[in-house]
Amino acid sequence: MDKIKGKTWTFDKNIDTDVIIPGRYLRTFNPEDLAKHVLETERPDFTKNVQKGDIIVADENFGCGSSREQAPVAIKTAGVDAIVAKSFGRIFYRNAINIGLPVIISDIKAKDGDIISIDLSEGSLVNETTGESVTFEPFKDFMLDILNDGGVVNHYLKEKG
């Protein structure tokens, strides 16, 4: 999972976990059920049109708010392979890594439908539609291992043998 390439969905700043997955849907822990409602109040077309491999590009403070792990779970289950934002809510960031969803702190301009390429180990991000290229701090090997194993629990089980 060192390299990711996909179509973008863009979001503004301060997308909180209540917007990502509204509280009224938290009566279930089924990831597939949660994914049907991810970001529906912000972008009603998102759940109908998001495809495996898509990438979210957001402004500042993506995932702020509560500590609900269901927010990154719903995004990942919906098909999103990575999130790029200028900044993240700290708990959201950790929860995303813990469940195997790459979150990249970077500032790249994108519009819906642009194609973005990300190299996690090199720390490079390219908007192939516009040609813009930016760098970010590369992911450490242990972080890549966690992401490649599908999250911290799977990584632990693999390491434990």
Side-chain angles (χ1 to χ4, degrees):
M1 173 183 275
D2 289 7
K3 297 182 186 198
I4 301 165
K5 182 176 179 179
K7 178 185 69 160
T8 60
W9 289 84
T10 58
F11 290 88
D12 289 329
K13 62 183 173 182
N14 300 320
I15 301 296
D16 69 37
T17 54
D18 292 325
V19 169
I20 295 169
I21 187 67
R24 66 184 170 272
Y25 299 117
L26 296 180
R27 295 177 188 194
T28 180
F29 289 100
N30 181 327
E32 297 295 329
D33 290 338
L34 294 171
K36 293 176 188 173
H37 303 287
V38 68
L39 293 160
E40 71 182 11
T41 56
E42 187 71 17
R43 298 281 300 271
D45 62 329
F46 185 78
T47 57
K48 295 178 188 111
N49 296 306
V50 67
Q51 296 178 3
K52 176 72 179 127
D54 285 355
I55 298 169
I56 290 176
V57 177
D59 203 322
E60 300 171 341
N61 209 20
F62 190 89
C64 58
S66 72
S67 61
R68 63 178 66 151
E69 189 176 79
Q70 294 97 327
V73 167
I75 290 171
K76 182 179 178 183
T77 304
V80 172
D81 273 1
I83 305 172
V84 178
K86 292 179 185 176
S87 63
F88 291 90
R90 284 281 108 203
I91 296 172
F92 178 89
Y93 183 91
R94 290 185 62 126
N95 283 339
I97 296 296
N98 286 346
I99 60 113
L101 177 63
V103 282
I104 297 97
I105 299 170
S106 186
D107 182 11
I108 192 161
K109 292 170 186 44
K111 295 183 290 190
D112 285 346
D114 284 359
I115 302 299
I116 297 278
S117 301
I118 304 167
D119 188 319
L120 298 174
S121 60
E122 295 294 322
S124 65
L125 199 150
V126 177
N127 183 329
E128 294 186 6
T129 305
T130 67
E132 180 185 10
S133 177
V134 297
T135 60
F136 58 91
E137 184 176 340
F139 280 54
K140 307 279 188 242
D141 287 342
F142 79 93
M143 294 275 284
L144 290 171
D145 290 344
I146 289 170
L147 292 171
N148 286 328
D149 291 342
V152 73
V153 171
N154 291 341
H155 178 70
Y156 170 77
L157 294 172
K158 180 181 172 187
E159 293 292 311
K160 188 176 176 183

